[in-house]
Each structure stands twice: as C-alpha cells, then as structure tokens.
Amino acid sequence: MQFSKLSTLYGRLEATASGNELRQILADFFKETYQKNPEELSILTQLSLGKISPDYISAVLGVAEKLVLKAIAKASGRSVKEITKHMHHLGDAGLVAELVLKQKAFTLVPTGDLTTDELYQTLHKIKDIEGSGSQDIKEKILISIFQKTTGQDSKYLARIILGNMRLGVADMTVLDALSICFTGDKSNKPRLERAYNVCPDIAKIAKQLADKGIEHIDEIPVKVGRPIRVMLAQRVASLSNMSEKIKSNLFQVEAKYDGERVQVHKERDGTITLYSRRMENITDQLPDLVEYLKKEIHVMAVEYILEGEIMALSEDAKIHQSFQTLMQRKRKTEIEKYIKKVPVALYVFDLLYLNGESMMNKPLIERGESIDKILYKKNRIRRIELIQTESVDEVQSFFEKMLKDGNEGVIVKSTADDSHYKAGARDWNWIKWKKDYMQNLVDSFDLVVIGAFYGKGKRTGAYGSLLCATYNHKTDTFESVSKLGTGLTDKTLEELPFILREHKVVKKPARVIINKEMTPDVWFEPFLVVEVIAAEISQGKMHCAARTPGSDRGLALRFPRFIQIRADKGPEDATSSEELLSLYEGI
Ligand code: ATP
C-alpha cells in the first residue's frame, strides 16, 4: 500500500471528535485492506496506531528531534538554520516537515512513492542500528525516506519517527474496529480482548483473524517471552463482603507487599525477561534478579512464566524497605552501585506457564504446589507469605500481622475449581484488603488527566487544577469524574507542564467524554495517570463517569486530593467507571 493512503487514514482519525466515528473509520480501513490484500492487514493494523511494534517491545528508534530536523532540512534542500526557525515557530517537527516538503520542487528525487511496507522495514532497520557512526547512518536513511514524501505524508512520517502521533487511538480502539470489520459490530470485542490478554500484540490478533477467522481467535497460545496482561484484584467495602464474593470455603490469604509487580519469562534457551505491570521490559534494570532466578529456580523448570512482587531489602538483605527505596532501582545508569545499595528479593505468588504447558487454567492450589516444587534455595527468590483458612477471623488476624510487619495488607484468593489465572481481568477470585479500607478512611483511585485549567493567584502561569477521568472499559472512553486541585505541591505544579507538554492536543480527543461546562483550558490525550484519594462518590450533572445512555447524571469524586503520579500505569489501567459504580452502590 502507498504510504499516502495510510496517511489519509491518520488525517481522518486526527480530525474526528467522535469515538464511534474513530472506530468506524478504522474498521472501514481494515476491511478495505483485508479485501484487497489480506497479507497486509497485520502490519497495517500495527501501523494504524502510528507504531511499528507492540508496546512491550520497546521500539525506540533512538532518533532525537534534532536529527529528524536535520534530515528534513537535507531532504528539502533547506538550511538547518531555516528549519530550526520554523520549529521555534510551529513547535512540531511534523508541521515543519509538512511545510517545507510541501512543494515537490524542493525535493531532490521523485516523491510520493513510499510504501507502507518500506516504511515498516526501514523503521525497524533504524531501530537496530547501533554503535559508532550510527547517527550518520540513521540520518542518511531518514533523508531518503523523507525525500519520498510530501505534505501530509511528511507530517505523519516525522511524527511516527518521533513517537508522537497523538491520534487518540489505542489498542482497545483497534480491537473494537477489528470486531466491527470481521463480525459487523463491537459485540465480539470481549472475545478479541481475551485473546489480546494472552497475546498483547495487535498485529498478531489481526493476522489470526485474517488467516483463520474469529472462530479460531482463542487458539493463539501463550508464548514464553511475550508478556501476558496481569490479573488484578477486586476491592470490597468490608471483610464480610469478601466471604460473600469468594466462592470457595477455603481462602488462600497472601501477604500484599508494597513493591513492584514483575512477570518473569524464562525461555528454553535460558533467556530471562522481566516485564513490569505495564508490560515494559525492565530486565536491564535488574541484572541481579536475573542471576538469582538462574540460581534459585530449579533446573527442571526449563521454561516458565511466573509472577511476584519485587521488594527492596536493607543492605544486609534482611529487612524490607519502602517502595520509594525500591524506586531507586529504576535507573539506566550506576546500576552496579545500586545493586549493592538497594538489594532486592522476589516474592513469587503465581505461576502461569511451566515446561510447555499453560498453568493459567489450573486451580490456585495446584499452581502453588508447582511453585513450591521449582523454588530451590529461597534465598532471594522466595514464596510470598500465605495462610490457608476457612475462617474470616483468621483472615483478619493474618491481616493484622501483615500490618504489624509493615506491609500494605493482604490479597484473599479463592481456591475453588475455577480459581484460574484470568489474564487482564479484575476478578472476584482475588480480593485486596488494605489498611486504608479497614480504617474506613478514604479510598484511592487512579485517574487519567484529560485536561487542565489555568491557575489563578499563586498558581498564575501554571496549571491550577486538572480535569481527570475514569476509564470506561465497555465503551473504551475516558469519562470525566473530577476536577483536581488539592494536594498538588509546588514541585508537582512546576513539573506538570513538562510532563504533559508532549501530550497536549488542540481539541477534545475523540474517546474523551465530558460535560460542556467542564471544558478545560488545555486538552491532553489520555496518557498521565495520577493517584488521588477522595472521601465521597456522588451523582450529578457535572461529570460523566458510568453515565447510563439517555441520562445526564454521571458519577463524580468529591474532595479529591492528589497523592502521586502513577508512572507504572497506562491510561487504560486507571480506575474503571465500572469499579467506581460498584463502590458507589456499596458492593
Ligand atoms: P491494581 O494493580 O489492582 O490496579 P494497584 O497497582 O494500585 O492496583 P493495589 O490495588 O494496591 O495496586 O494492589 C494490587 C497489586 O498488589 C498487584 O498489582 C501486585 O503488584 C501487588 N501484590 C502484592 N502482593 C500480591 C499477591 N500476593 N498477589 C497478587 N498481587 C500482589
């Protein structure tokens, strides 16, 4: 396919203000592609997101804005000085490329002959170039592809390279569109999502649909090395509610440590990859943990996927340290120094795959028995502390012991026959119970920042408050739920414009739902997640969370207070409107 065709799609996606239209435009594009050339669908589905790889493969091209501007200058026959001037004025390398590569007269070779396949292959090539002289090679390649584009195509090419497409499309939107394309409407999205939970690679999902059809979508197998979307815990208003929700008589109550969740993949060739809760590859940050895994997991486990919580330890490796201490290990430099300064241990709580067999559909106790078989030395790779009991009183005492030991609380898990590992689901087979809930204080929520209001008085010149949303999983929309001003420290207020700069958009993103009276001064594409506490959920006309069709009343969080930025969560991992509704209804 000619790249100009894909760039027309980008243009249409960027222009629409409606989520439904966004899905329909994508579905039509997929249908046409599939009918003309089914082989192309997979790559084009990936490219429709403006990305060349799924998120878990960090496809950083290693190309800075400066290099892109230099390549645009050379491709258009203009001076770097002139291009820099345009950049100051327009503030977006894409707009600069569109401006100067508009007229064919400025380009040195015939334009408009870039194909999507060539684009895809070339960008993958750029990603893999390393070592001395790599910048020069990258520059040459960039010049050659810019020379093959004009106008709008150049704009989107620059944005893809720099990773700032801001189309308002995410994997969930593409799943909706694939469902419409292959089955006529969105009703098969949950089925596609179940496949995606095990294989979070949109191109693979599209390929399976194109090659085998929807009937075979559940057959995409677990693959060691490819992350699985994590299973999440529900929350309840009181411990007694927990026993109503969990189906088994016997509970497995596990410690809930406040560390970082990790999914460990060991392949047959010995490669170990560590993925964060957001499925980012964090292996390079934790080479010591990789070594412990090699030494302390039995050799009979030739390939496995397990999950656990990484905890920071004191320098003598005995006492648990805080989450903040562990965060010092999130670094790209001085890794060796910090291995000594902040040692870590892994507390394993689940096993998803072992030696060629998926464990996800086995009951919890069976998965636990397999964990015990493969944990070998238990020095730095340890089983999470747990008890099994039928008594809610014992759950309560274990919980109290956990708090005394400085932990966050417990996760109570079902041991019923169907206590499977449900990838990507927030499931009633796991219920979290934390200190904050028990003390009946306030609840915490992870909200997506969708806009900002300029400050007044002391906050003049900065953002005074943020417009925040919950994620409605069913409709794939971000619904405004709260205006957040309290708790933002001077430091955060100073940082926010920088963090959000790249995500500013000129109009309401298509998947965002607000009440007009809440229109912010600045819009952001859903990206940043913030943790807030709030004392009350109310229903009214100002906000839109969990609003039923036809009603003008949505849920709102009242008296919210900013706690922290949650860089470990993506916008679709935020508190869902469904969760908020069940808390409001006191379930
Ligand atoms: P969530 O992960 O549920 O969206 P969150 O990241 O804000 O929410 P919490 O709500 O505090 O975290 O609790 C869930 C997290 O607890 C898990 O993602 C995991 O990192 C951690 N955890 C600690 N111990 C366990 C355990 N034994 N079983 C499952 N998860 C555990």
Side-chain angles (χ1 to χ4, degrees):
M1 180 187 286
Q2 291 301 115
F3 177 57
S4 54
K5 203 138 192 232
L6 181 63
S7 115
T8 306
L9 169 81
Y10 293 149
R12 294 187 64 201
L13 294 175
E14 202 182 359
T16 182
S18 143
N20 284 339
E21 205 177 300
L22 201 72
R23 289 174 198 102
Q24 195 57 52
I25 295 170
L26 278 169
D28 294 344
F29 175 78
F30 295 153
K31 193 161 218 162
E32 200 189 326
T33 307
Y34 178 65
Q35 279 163 354
K36 283 200 179 135
N37 189 355
E39 301 265 287
E40 272 197 324
L41 182 69
S42 166
I43 286 181
L44 283 166
T45 308
Q46 179 62 58
L47 285 175
S48 71
L49 290 154
K51 294 176 188 166
I52 58 165
S53 301
D55 286 343
Y56 70 83
I57 299 173
S58 104
V60 178
L61 297 185
V63 175
E65 191 174 84
K66 222 169 145 189
L67 189 66
V68 172
L69 293 175
K70 220 166 136 191
I72 295 171
K74 295 208 173 146
S76 63
R78 313 234 179 168
S79 69
V80 173
K81 202 169 155 203
E82 185 188 340
I83 296 296
T84 314
K85 217 167 102 195
H86 286 310
M87 184 64 193
H88 280 311
H89 186 62
L90 295 168
D92 171 3
L95 294 178
V96 176
E98 183 175 35
L99 178 76
V100 299
L101 288 162
K102 195 161 53 186
Q103 297 122 313
K104 285 189 182 186
F106 283 111
T107 58
L108 308 176
V109 295
T111 58
D113 59 356
L114 180 65
T115 65
T116 49
D117 201 45
E118 187 184 354
L119 170 83
Y120 184 80
Q121 306 299 345
T122 310
L123 295 187
H124 272 282
K125 196 159 110 196
I126 291 180
K127 179 188 72 155
D128 296 334
I129 299 171
E130 280 175 8
S132 70
S134 62
Q135 292 305 303
D136 289 345
I137 306 171
K138 285 183 184 182
E139 186 187 323
K140 280 204 187 88
I141 301 177
L142 288 180
I143 296 169
S144 77
I145 48 171
F146 270 117
Q147 281 177 338
K148 292 183 176 182
T149 63
T150 54
Q152 175 171 275
D153 301 2
S154 314
K155 173 172 88 178
Y156 290 119
L157 176 60
R159 289 186 184 166
I160 295 179
I161 295 166
L162 291 170
N164 62 356
M165 283 295 266
R166 297 179 223 176
L167 294 173
V169 179
D171 286 10
M172 289 302 132
T173 328
V174 170
L175 289 183
D176 268 332
L178 284 172
S179 172
I180 299 171
C181 165
F182 281 92
T183 67
D185 58 34
K186 289 194 318 188
S187 57
N188 275 298
K189 147 92 170 308
R191 196 162 171 196
L192 295 186
E193 196 178 342
R194 276 197 297 279
Y196 175 86
N197 288 337
V198 174
C199 168
D201 180 341
I202 220 81
K204 289 253 155 51
I205 303 284
K207 187 163 170 30
Q208 182 82 355
L209 283 170
D211 293 352
K212 306 211 165 131
I214 184 92
E215 312 76 53
H216 297 277
I217 197 69
D218 320 311
E219 292 165 15
I220 304 179
V222 173
K223 183 168 169 273
V224 185
R226 180 173 64 202
I228 292 169
R229 291 182 86 203
V230 294
M231 176 167 174
L232 298 165
Q234 285 283 10
R235 52 178 152 186
V236 280
S238 80
L239 255 192
S240 54
N241 285 9
M242 176 209 76
S243 49
E244 283 159 29
K245 287 284 173 189
I246 288 195
K247 277 179 255 145
S248 62
N249 291 332
L250 185 73
F251 309 125
Q252 177 156 308
V253 195
E254 300 182 0
K256 181 177 188 321
Y257 295 150
D258 191 14
E260 182 180 13
R261 185 170 188 161
V262 70
Q263 195 176 84
V264 181
H265 288 242
K266 183 187 170 225
E267 294 170 58
R268 271 184 188 272
D269 68 0
T271 310
I272 291 182
T273 314
L274 309 178
Y275 289 106
S276 71
R277 183 192 181 293
R278 270 188 93 168
M279 301 189 297
E280 284 158 338
N281 188 332
I282 52 168
T283 319
D284 289 347
Q285 293 166 13
L286 295 152
D288 47 339
L289 185 58
V290 171
E291 285 312 307
Y292 299 137
L293 286 158
K294 282 184 187 158
K295 281 191 212 132
E296 298 185 28
I297 302 268
H298 203 286
V299 283
M300 75 171 206
V302 281
E303 52 172 357
Y304 61 77
I305 303 174
L306 57 78
E307 266 187 19
E309 196 81 355
I310 307 173
M311 288 295 288
L313 302 176
S314 51
E315 283 197 39
D316 60 7
K318 292 214 169 103
I319 301 162
H320 288 171
Q321 303 295 299
S322 68
F323 177 73
Q324 281 70 23
T325 308
L326 179 65
M327 285 305 105
Q328 295 181 40
R329 292 294 307 268
K330 299 222 131 285
R331 56 197 314 117
K332 292 201 170 98
T333 56
E334 296 187 299
I335 290 175
E336 285 304 319
K337 181 174 150 194
Y338 276 84
I339 287 177
K340 289 206 183 74
K341 215 172 145 196
V342 184
V344 294
L346 175 68
Y347 288 87
V348 180
F349 56 73
D350 222 316
L351 182 68
L352 282 58
Y353 188 91
L354 182 63
N355 295 342
E357 194 187 359
S358 169
M359 304 287 289
M360 293 200 293
N361 285 337
K362 298 200 186 296
L364 182 75
I365 294 198
E366 208 180 317
R367 302 204 298 278
E369 284 164 359
S370 296
I371 296 177
D372 288 334
K373 276 188 204 144
I374 65 167
L375 278 197
Y376 185 53
K377 280 190 179 154
K378 303 190 177 140
N379 176 25
R380 293 298 185 87
I381 311 294
R382 311 167 183 173
R383 179 86 196 268
I384 201 132
E385 200 177 337
L386 60 88
I387 58 161
Q388 286 171 350
T389 179
E390 291 188 2
S391 137
V392 177
D393 287 346
E394 277 183 33
V395 176
Q396 178 70 28
S397 358
F398 184 70
F399 170 71
E400 280 161 19
K401 176 177 180 299
M402 288 301 106
L403 292 198
K404 224 190 249 155
D405 294 350
N407 300 316
E408 244 192 331
V410 294
I411 303 220
V412 187
K413 299 183 177 178
S414 159
T415 60
D417 289 348
D418 70 347
S419 57
H420 304 158
Y421 185 95
K422 296 197 185 125
R426 194 174 284 287
D427 193 84
W428 286 110
N429 275 342
W430 287 13
I431 293 178
K432 53 192 177 190
W433 185 244
K434 299 203 263 188
K435 185 167 47 187
D436 307 352
Y437 306 167
M438 190 199 67
Q439 291 168 347
N440 249 344
L441 285 174
V442 279
D443 236 324
S444 84
F445 304 87
D446 299 317
L447 306 180
V448 186
V449 178
I450 52 171
F453 300 89
Y454 290 124
K456 293 194 187 105
K458 221 181 119 206
R459 292 185 180 177
T460 305
Y463 297 140
S465 54
L466 303 172
L467 184 62
C468 297
T470 47
Y471 177 60
N472 188 320
H473 199 262
K474 265 195 206 118
T475 54
D476 181 34
T477 52
F478 296 90
E479 301 174 322
S480 105
V481 72
S482 206
K483 195 170 162 182
L484 171 69
T486 311
L488 295 162
T489 60
D490 290 348
K491 189 167 164 272
T492 314
L493 283 169
E494 218 172 277
E495 281 169 2
L496 277 173
F498 290 97
I499 300 172
L500 290 163
R501 191 181 46 181
E502 298 260 293
H503 303 279
K504 240 183 187 174
V505 283
V506 289
K507 58 178 179 51
K508 183 187 80 60
R511 292 191 297 150
V512 164
I513 312 281
I514 64 145
N515 178 332
K516 274 212 174 77
E517 283 167 49
M518 269 290 159
T519 303
D521 297 321
V522 184
W523 288 107
F524 302 114
E525 62 169 346
F527 158 78
L528 184 70
V529 177
V530 291
E531 183 178 334
V532 308
I533 51 170
E536 203 179 305
I537 306 170
S538 66
Q539 199 170 40
K541 289 189 178 171
M542 283 317 250
H543 290 282
C544 312
R547 205 164 57 177
T548 44
S551 156
D552 59 353
R553 294 168 70 80
L555 295 181
L557 279 179
R558 299 190 62 203
F559 315 118
R561 168 177 283 275
F562 172 85
I563 300 297
Q564 60 177 341
I565 288 175
R566 289 290 303 254
D568 60 329
K569 288 200 167 183
E572 283 86 5
D573 301 322
T575 301
S576 67
S577 304
E578 295 88 333
E579 233 185 311
L580 195 69
L581 182 64
S582 51
L583 283 171
Y584 177 69
E585 289 171 345
I587 295 170

